[in-house]
C-alpha cells in the first residue's frame, strides 16, 4: 500500500503536507517539515517585505477547531524564496510549495515576477483567500478580480502555479469560479482556506477570544470539514482534469484524509491539527489512512480518489 500521489507531473511519496500558515514561518519550522513524513511543505504566505501581522491574542485553540486573525505575519518573500531554492539544491527531486499573498495586485505581480526570474522549480500557491487583513476583502469572493489577477499572472508566469481559495457556500458560485479557473493553465486548486470572519466568545469572561477585528477571525479544524468536503467535491466535479485538487480543512485523522481523497483530492493539507500535534501528526494520519486502505483493499489513492458515490 502506498500513499504516493502525483500533481502536475511531480511525484510525492506521501499525499499529505502542512497547510500554509501553520508551523511554517521560520527556517526551523520548515526544517522540521523536511525531516517529517509529510510529502511536501508549503511556506507561510509571503508579502514582498517582512510583516508583523495583527496584535495578539490573534489565535485561539478550541477543542472543535481554531480561530485566527494572524494578519499575514511573515518574514518576506526573499526569506522563503531563499529557503526553497537552497532546499532544492540539497534535495533536487523534492517539490515544495511557496505561498504568496500580496495585499494588492501590484504586490502579487511583483512577487511572481521575482519567482519567475528565480531558480525556484517548485509550485507557487497564490493565496486569494486571506480573511484577516483589516480593510482588505478576500480576492476569492470577487470573481471579476480573480479573473483579472489570473489574466495578468499568466501573461508572464510559466512555472507551476495553483490558487488557495476561500470556501464557497452556493453551487452557483462553484459554477462561476470553476468557469474562470478552467480558462487558465493552473496546476492545482487548494480548497479550502479558513471560514472567514467567524466569532468565538468566552461565556465566562463574556468577551471575545482574539484581539483583532473585534474578535472576528478565520475558523479551522473539525467544524469546517463538511464545508471543505463540499468545496473539494464541488470543484473536482467542475474543473478540467489537468487541474488537481488539494484538499484542506478539518483533517484530524486518517478517516478525514480518506474522505477528502474520496471527494477528489490528490493531496491533503493539515492545518489546525498539525498546529496542535506537531509533525508526528503526519506519522499518525499516514498510519490511519493506510489501515483504512488495507481494510478496503485499496493499494493506491488512485483506486478511490474522486469515486464518491451518490444515490442517483
Ligand atoms: O491571518 C493570516 O495570516 C491568515 N489566516 C488564515 O486563516 N488564512 C490565511 O490565508 C491567512 I494569510
Amino acid at each position: 500500500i502506498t500513499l504516493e500521489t502525483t500533481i502536475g507531473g511531480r511525484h510525492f511519496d506521501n499525499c499529505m503536507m502542512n497547510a500554509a500558515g501553520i508551523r511554517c514561518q521560520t527556517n526551523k519550522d520548515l526544517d522540521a517539515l523536511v525531516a517529517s513524513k509529510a510529502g511536501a511543505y508549503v511556506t507561510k504566505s509571503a508579502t514582498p517585505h517582512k510583516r508583523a501581522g495583527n496584535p495578539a491574542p490573534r489565535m485561539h485553540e478550541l477543542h472543535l477547531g481554531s480561530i485566527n486573525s494572524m494578519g499575514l505575519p511573515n518574514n518576506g518573500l526573499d526569506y522563503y524564496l531563499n529557503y526553497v531554492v537552497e532546499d532544492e539544491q540539497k534535495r533536487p527531486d523534492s517539490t515544495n510549495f511557496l505561498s504568496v499573498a500580496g495585499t494588492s495586485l501590484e504586490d502579487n505581480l511583483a512577487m511572481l515576477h521575482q519567482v519567475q526570474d528565480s531558480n525556484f522549480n517548485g509550485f507557487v500557491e497564490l493565496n486569494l483567500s486571506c480573511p484577516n487583513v483589516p480593510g482588505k476583502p478576500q480576492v476569492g469572493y470577487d470573481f471579476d478580480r480573480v479573473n483579472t489577477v489570473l489574466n495578468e499572472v499568466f501573461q508572464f508566469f510559466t512555472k507551476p502555479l495553483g490558487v488557495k481559495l476561500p470556501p464557497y457556500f452556493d453551487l452557483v458560485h462553484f459554477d462561476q469560479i470553476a468557469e474562470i479557473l478552467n480558462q487558465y493553465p493552473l496546476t492545482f486548486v487548494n480548497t479550502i482556506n479558513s471560514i472567514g470572519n467567524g466569532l468565538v466568545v468566552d461565556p465566562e469572561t463574556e468577551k471575545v477570544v482574539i484581539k483583532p477585528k473585534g474578535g472576528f477571525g478565520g475558523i479551522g479544524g473539525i467544524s469546517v470539514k463538511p464545508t471543505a468536503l463540499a468545496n473539494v467535491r464541488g470543484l473536482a466535479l467542475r474543473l478540467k482534469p489537468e487541474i488537481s485538487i488539494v484538499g484542506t480543512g478539518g483533517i484530524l485523522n486518517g478517516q478525514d484524509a480518506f474522505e477528502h481523497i474520496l471527494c477528489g483530492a490528490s493531496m491533503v493539507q493539515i492545518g489546525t491539527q498539525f498546529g496542535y500535534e506537531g509533525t508526528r501528526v503526519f506519522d499518525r494520519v499516514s498510519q490511519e489512512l493506510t489501515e483504512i486502505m488495507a481494510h478496503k483493499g485499496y493499494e493506491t489513492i488512485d483506486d478511490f480518489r474522486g469515486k464518491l458515490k451518490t444515490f442517483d
Side-chain angles (χ1 to χ4, degrees):
I1 289 180
T2 169
L3 301 184
E4 65 188 339
T5 191
T6 301
I7 293 178
R10 304 290 183 86
H11 176 269
F12 300 87
D13 292 337
N14 196 330
C15 62
M16 60 188 74
M17 60 187 286
N18 69 299
I22 291 87
R23 294 179 186 252
C24 58
Q25 192 154 327
T26 67
N27 291 342
K28 188 166 173 289
D29 288 337
L30 296 167
D31 287 345
L33 277 160
V34 168
S36 79
K37 200 165 167 49
Y41 59 76
V42 56
T43 59
K44 169 65 188 172
S45 292
T47 46
H49 307 292
K50 191 176 171 60
R51 247 175 91 95
N54 291 339
R58 58 192 190 181
M59 191 274 184
H60 185 81
E61 298 184 3
L62 310 161
H63 63 287
L64 282 181
S66 61
I67 182 168
N68 91 84
S69 184
M70 309 304 285
L72 243 180
N74 74 96
N75 290 327
L77 178 65
D78 295 348
Y79 181 96
Y80 300 108
L81 195 48
N82 290 340
Y83 183 91
V84 292
V85 168
E86 263 176 44
D87 185 33
E88 279 175 359
Q89 281 156 5
K90 291 179 212 160
R91 307 181 311 128
D93 357 355
S94 75
T95 295
N96 291 291
F97 296 61
L98 173 71
S99 176
V100 296
T103 55
S104 68
L105 174 59
E106 292 68 27
D107 278 2
N108 273 322
L109 296 178
M111 288 194 284
L112 290 174
H113 270 294
Q114 187 177 341
V115 175
Q116 176 68 22
D117 298 342
S118 77
N119 299 329
F120 178 55
N121 290 310
F123 290 175
V124 166
E125 184 172 281
L126 179 56
N127 184 351
L128 301 178
S129 44
C130 179
N132 300 322
V133 179
K136 290 283 178 183
Q138 294 190 60
V139 173
Y141 285 145
D142 179 340
F143 295 126
D144 290 338
R145 192 95 184 118
V146 172
N147 204 6
T148 299
V149 170
L150 293 178
N151 190 46
E152 293 285 323
V153 166
F154 285 113
Q155 300 293 320
F156 65 91
F157 199 77
T158 60
K159 297 183 174 181
L161 179 135
V163 290
K164 177 77 172 281
L165 297 175
Y168 300 104
F169 301 92
D170 185 314
L171 298 192
V172 169
H173 293 165
F174 289 145
D175 295 336
Q176 291 171 339
I177 192 67
E179 188 186 343
I180 293 167
L181 299 172
N182 278 330
Q183 294 167 40
Y184 296 99
L186 289 160
T187 299
F188 67 93
V189 163
N190 183 347
T191 180
I192 63 172
N193 206 316
S194 56
I195 296 181
N197 296 296
L199 183 61
V200 170
V201 303
D202 179 339
E204 293 308 306
T205 61
E206 303 177 14
K207 190 174 171 185
V208 299
V209 298
I210 56 173
K211 181 173 164 84
K213 293 171 56 178
F216 286 70
I219 304 297
I222 196 170
S223 47
V224 311
K225 188 173 77 170
T227 296
L229 293 177
N231 278 263
V232 168
R233 176 73 169 166
L235 289 174
L237 291 174
R238 292 169 173 79
L239 292 176
K240 57 189 179 186
E242 304 91 294
I243 303 178
S244 295
I245 307 278
V246 174
T248 306
I251 299 173
L252 285 72
N253 56 43
Q255 180 194 308
D256 302 324
F258 178 81
E259 292 171 17
H260 265 266
I261 297 165
L262 193 62
C263 290
S266 293
M267 174 74 81
V268 298
Q269 293 190 344
I270 306 176
T272 297
Q273 190 59 26
F274 170 47
Y276 297 168
E277 203 169 326
T279 53
R280 62 184 168 79
V281 73
F282 299 112
D283 300 278
R284 178 175 63 80
V285 176
S286 295
Q287 178 60 39
E288 291 166 350
L289 176 56
T290 301
E291 281 164 11
I292 291 168
M293 289 169 69
H295 183 68
K296 290 166 172 283
Y298 294 134
E299 283 292 309
T300 72
I301 67 170
D302 281 349
D303 290 343
F304 64 98
R305 180 165 49 79
K307 296 184 177 167
L308 176 67
K309 300 171 192 153
T310 57
F311 282 90
D312 38 44

